[in-house]
Amino acid sequence: MSSTALAASTGLDFSLAQQLAVIALCALTAFLAHLALAVFNDGVRPFLLDFVQGRTTRSATTAVSFGLSAGFIFGLGAPMALASGVLNPWLLFLPTDILGLLAPKKWLAPLLGGAWGGVVVFGLRGANNLAHDLPVDFLTALQQMATPILFLFTLFPVLAITKQFGKLLGGLAGVVELALVVLTMKVWPDVFAGAPAMAVGVLLLIGFAVARDVRQRRAAERAVAGMVSPTGEEAPVVTAGRPSEDVDPMASLFGASAARLRRHLPLFMVLGAGICLLSQLHVFGGGEATSFLVAKGQYAEAAQVDLYRSLGFIPLIATTALASGAYGIVGFTLVYPIGYLLPSPWPALVCGALVFAAEVLALSWIGKALGRLPSVRDSSEHLRGAIGDTLHLAILFGSMLAAHAMGGGLGILIASGLYLLNEATGRVVVRMAAAPAAVVVTGIVLNVFYWLGLFTPIKT
């Protein structure tokens, strides 16, 4: 992983254009959060409907956002950025959710968001330099997370297939992915070995889901055909439910939410342009695995990983947006892979704006389509769960490797002890972020031990 180390050692130096892009985008996302038009945290979005309709206060909504986001910001977003040298959405957009909702005035929200962007682009460099100058360099140790994250993330389609379609098909997918990883390492050593395996795994999952939906639809058609009498007359069918002239309240809510988002289409187009630009500048990664791929300069592989990841979140983002009237700050995340692959900033601005426009305009259609494809919708839920499970294991394992790299057995003892203490006390820090946070605390403790003459840094 020497290339990762090289990328991360650049000290998070940003050009003026990159600094301005981050600051402007943070200002915009805070403004959208203030208006309750978009937030990054999927868990916060459902609460925004009550806020928009006046059933809860701004301070209460801000408290919810802070409670659901703080652990990810300091336990995952900051350590991941410092370890990879690449910014991520947890570090940028979870704080702007909070700051935007907190701001009592419209004009204050973008100022607070822009200030946070300034803290990120100017403060991370100082924190990075300070950490690397310490006797126990825990940031370099954190780069040990790269390999587990990249390779274990490859397994998420296998896990999703197993959960939805059983052990036989899951085992088959696992064998296929393993063979592809070995083949890629042997034949295409310059390609990230997990990329072709993930592609085939996701295609298998979608294929199994579509096949099940087709079978169920045909079975339903045969059942309807069986209701036709021998004379060719259709038997009378009694339908349950409300009279046809009644309005479905959920359909009415979805329509109002979609209309609310369409009214602010220009703002969303600017947002899409900004996120796509940030991705194109290659200082931003949309996910844990993607951050390290971008740091290594493997933009095609990063685009592929984020494209597959988006398949697990499109149904969630679409349904919560239609139910709450608030969109996702990063949309369906399709602008990530597009931005990674584009050659210059100007096409990124145009493509990002057009992609977000298409997403917002298509929300109602997507909601209806998901209702007609239950197995595909379930596949997205299984994908999202599988991504969480694989990343949790990868981050935990990588964090223990990092603890060992900087402190040997003592490092593992402290980091794993902090992790287990967090579990025993009801997860004060969310599980996904607990292990990296434990590594950072372990690094600080080991440095204190060094200054007290109780610990000698391990030679690397």
Side-chain angles (χ1 to χ4, degrees):
M1 302 303 294
S2 59
S3 56
T4 302
L6 179 62
S9 68
T10 57
L12 288 161
D13 292 327
F14 300 103
S15 67
L16 178 60
Q18 292 167 343
Q19 292 170 352
L20 292 176
V22 172
I23 292 171
L25 188 56
C26 286
L28 176 60
T29 54
F31 182 65
L32 288 167
H34 174 86
L35 299 176
L37 283 172
V39 290
F40 177 73
N41 194 320
D42 296 319
V44 174
R45 203 171 302 120
F47 292 93
L48 293 183
L49 181 62
D50 286 340
F51 173 66
V52 171
Q53 296 181 348
R55 293 194 294 267
T56 189
T57 63
R58 180 173 293 279
S59 59
T61 308
T62 303
V64 170
S65 180
F66 180 83
L68 293 174
S69 303
F72 285 103
I73 297 169
F74 301 108
L76 184 62
M80 194 67 64
L82 290 168
S84 66
V86 174
L87 301 177
N88 59 69
W90 302 281
L91 181 63
L92 292 183
F93 304 138
L94 288 179
T96 58
D97 283 357
I98 299 168
L99 294 171
L101 291 169
L102 176 67
K105 301 293 184 181
K106 285 184 181 181
W107 60 266
L108 183 57
L111 290 181
L112 292 176
W116 174 253
V119 169
V120 170
V121 295
F122 298 115
L124 276 183
R125 179 182 178 183
N128 183 75
N129 293 337
L130 175 63
H132 282 304
D133 290 337
L134 292 173
V136 180
D137 183 358
F138 58 87
L139 292 188
T140 299
L142 275 171
Q143 294 171 18
Q144 296 289 329
M145 291 194 299
T147 299
I149 288 175
L150 289 173
F151 280 89
L152 285 177
F153 191 72
T154 303
L155 294 174
F156 78 86
V158 175
L159 189 57
I161 291 171
T162 304
K163 288 183 175 182
Q164 186 172 6
F165 298 104
K167 292 180 287 187
L168 180 61
L169 292 179
L172 174 64
V175 171
V176 171
E177 283 209 4
L178 177 59
L180 284 171
V181 168
V182 174
L183 178 65
T184 304
M185 285 180 162
K186 186 68 175 177
V187 180
W188 305 291
D190 294 331
V191 176
F192 168 51
M198 271 188 286
V200 172
V202 170
L203 289 175
L204 285 173
L205 176 65
I206 295 173
F208 293 151
V210 171
R212 174 179 286 183
D213 282 336
V214 170
R215 287 196 303 269
Q216 291 176 345
R217 185 173 301 171
R218 288 176 178 173
E221 290 172 354
R222 287 195 296 269
V224 171
M227 298 173 66
V228 179
S229 67
T231 61
E233 296 179 357
E234 185 176 352
V237 179
V238 179
T239 57
R242 296 181 300 273
S244 59
E245 64 268 21
D246 288 353
V247 177
D248 183 351
M250 289 306 296
S252 177
L253 174 62
F254 282 12
S257 296
R260 178 176 187 258
L261 296 176
R262 287 196 297 269
R263 285 197 300 271
H264 296 88
L265 187 61
L267 270 178
F268 286 114
M269 293 178 70
V270 175
L271 175 63
I275 294 173
C276 196
L277 172 64
L278 199 62
S279 301
Q280 194 281 325
L281 293 174
H282 300 145
V283 295
F284 175 86
E288 299 88 343
T290 316
S291 294
F292 289 106
L293 289 171
V294 171
K296 295 171 65 178
Q298 295 182 325
Y299 306 128
E301 288 85 349
Q304 187 175 334
V305 168
D306 270 346
L307 177 62
Y308 303 147
R309 186 191 184 102
S310 70
L311 297 176
F313 287 88
I314 287 176
L316 173 67
I317 295 168
T319 53
T320 54
L322 290 170
S324 66
Y327 199 42
I329 282 292
V330 293
F332 293 152
T333 71
L334 297 176
V335 290
Y336 291 166
I338 293 172
Y340 301 147
L341 297 176
L342 288 174
S344 64
W346 293 112
L349 290 169
V350 174
C351 290
L354 293 177
V355 168
F356 257 53
E359 290 179 6
V360 172
L361 294 175
L363 269 178
S364 296
W365 178 85
I366 292 172
K368 294 175 182 177
L370 290 173
R372 293 192 295 267
L373 297 169
S375 295
V376 174
R377 186 177 63 247
D378 291 345
S379 293
S380 294
E381 295 177 3
H382 286 297
L383 270 179
R384 194 165 61 251
I387 288 171
D389 291 342
T390 52
L391 284 176
H392 169 247
L393 177 61
I395 290 173
L396 177 60
F397 183 60
S399 296
M400 294 305 104
L401 288 178
H404 180 268
M406 65 184 178
L410 180 60
I412 290 179
L413 173 66
I414 298 173
S416 59
L418 290 170
Y419 179 84
L420 292 173
L421 180 63
N422 183 69
E423 290 284 307
T425 54
R427 295 177 189 162
V428 179
V429 179
V430 291
R431 175 177 276 182
M432 188 79 77
V439 173
V440 173
V441 174
T442 299
I444 295 172
V445 171
L446 290 177
N447 277 290
V448 172
F449 284 176
Y450 169 80
W451 290 321
L452 294 175
L454 301 175
F455 175 73
T456 301
I458 294 176
K459 299 296 182 181
T460 57

